[in-house]
Amino acid sequence: MTYQSTARTSERARAERLTHRFTELFGHAPHGIWRAPGRVNLIGEHTDYNDGFVLPFAIDRAAMVAVRLKSGSESTAGTADLASTYAPDGGDLSRARFSIDSLTPGSVDGWGAYPAGVVYVLIGLDGAEVPGFELLVDSTVPVGAGLSSSHAVEVATIVALNDLLGLGLSHPDLARLTQRAENEFVGAPTGIMDQSASLMGRAGGALFLDCRTLESEIVPLPLAEHGLSVLVIDSKVAHSHADGGYAARRASCERAATALGITSLRDLSTADDAAPATFSAARIVPGSAPNTAADAAPVTGPVPGAPPITGTPKTDVPELDPLDVLDDETARRVRHVLSENARVLETVQRLRQGDLSGVGELMTASHVSLRDDYEVSCLELDLAVDAALNAGAIGARMTGGGFGGSAIALVHESQLDQVRDAVLKTFADHELQTPDTFTVLPADGAQRITFAGPGCQEDVRRSGTR
């Protein structure tokens, strides 16, 4: 049995359990079950909201929702009744409820804000009428680990409502709407990457995405063929995109673009010339910062208290004349965005060539830039990266928005145990909370698992249109 068929069988069993739980909770069966995965960003951090390039992949951990639309004759026809197996305050379930017609930004807090945000943007669409509904969510994506647990819930919710209401929205439509839900309702100034990966990911590949046009392509990520695994190291330092650090970085980039007289930092480089119309022949952005771990240069010192990354000697970084009008901190933020776009494009090249060792070097260079130019790493993430590299990982970096969350390491399967043990020992030596470590594989994006609506068979199929 292949991995994909095993995963499908497992998801069927999970869907059956969720259906049974929903029926116990609400007194009737759901109209269907949908799933949406979390994501790991292989490379391309903080480039999405700058109209740049990213290379995430959907992972084999997902949010699953059971949903039933209410009929107009029900006494609670205008409300959404939500339940989740995620119960941070104790118990086996947490509950949320809101009125469809009275949603305003900030009116729902906690995990319930994510489905509510989806409803908020859908009711603003011409011709879309969202009735009350019941929803039960169960997720295997760790919360606060930087693996897009919130986007997984939003995407699962929006693909469910897209199907149930017959809206016919495309994947790019759904991605933009969930971004609006985060930005306008939840109050998190996120980009377009996370939901795109959750919607459009494919098993065995990474999603090469142009965040300006939403043009995308699945690039093969043949980990098993090369005897490699992606090890996730959840630092247990929770992060949130609604916190100030993420918003401050985005605001810094927007100020830089304004000062430079451009729409976004994408316009500062010749990145558009480097991505031809075929979108399949990625090249390096001319004039970008170094792209390999050996060449990457911290221009300022590392984050206070952070260990140096072995094998990354300081070198001079080419000056980009337009940045001379910016203050030093803002110039470093811009330099990260430009060099990270370049690393994404080169990573795509390396994957096409089957050069996964080269991909590892680029991952490590990305972490150096995030640590020193963008300053979104933290002690725990730096320790995880350094320990993994010292133990034999061919590349490692923080993944996600930073300020906590997870690091990832590209590791030969034969060395997984020694890398994991080295990370655990390092955290113990520094008297830090024990991190969670686990491997992930590229998985398919959002799917409908079962559907009891008229004219639809119960099957596993992709949700939304291409």
Side-chain angles (χ1 to χ4, degrees), residues 377-415:
S377 190
C378 65
L379 175 63
E380 290 84 353
L381 293 175
D382 293 332
L383 285 169
V385 167
D386 197 52
L389 291 171
N390 286 334
I394 65 175
R397 64 184 291 271
M398 56 157 279
T399 189
F403 308 103
S406 296
I408 56 172
L410 191 58
V411 183
H412 288 288
E413 291 178 354
S414 61
Q415 295 181 303

Side-chain angles (χ1 to χ4, degrees), residues 420-446:
R420 183 182 288 111
D421 290 346
V423 170
L424 295 176
K425 182 179 185 303
T426 296
F427 273 61
D429 289 346
H430 285 77
E431 299 181 344
L432 297 171
Q433 186 174 0
T434 302
D436 284 341
T437 60
F438 51 91
T439 59
V440 292
L441 289 170
D444 284 331

Side-chain angles (χ1 to χ4, degrees), residues 39-50 53-55 146 193-194 241 336-337 340-341 343-344 366 370 374 376 397-402 408:
R39 66 95 189 94
V40 156
N41 190 18
L42 189 65
I43 199 163
E45 218 66 76
H46 290 277
T47 52
D48 58 343
Y49 54 78
N50 288 295
F53 302 105
V54 293
L55 192 65
M193 174 183 69
D194 295 346
H241 285 157
H336 164 73
V337 173
E340 188 78 345
N341 275 327
R343 283 185 288 271
V344 173
S366 173
L370 289 160
Y374 222 64
V376 291
R397 64 184 291 271
M398 56 157 279
T399 189
I408 56 172

Side-chain angles (χ1 to χ4, degrees), residues 2-23:
T2 66
Y3 167 77
Q4 283 182 275
S5 60
T6 300
R8 181 168 294 186
T9 300
S10 175
E11 286 188 344
R12 278 283 191 178
R14 186 178 165 205
E16 290 175 2
R17 292 192 298 271
L18 192 63
T19 298
H20 180 71
R21 189 77 182 275
F22 183 99
T23 303

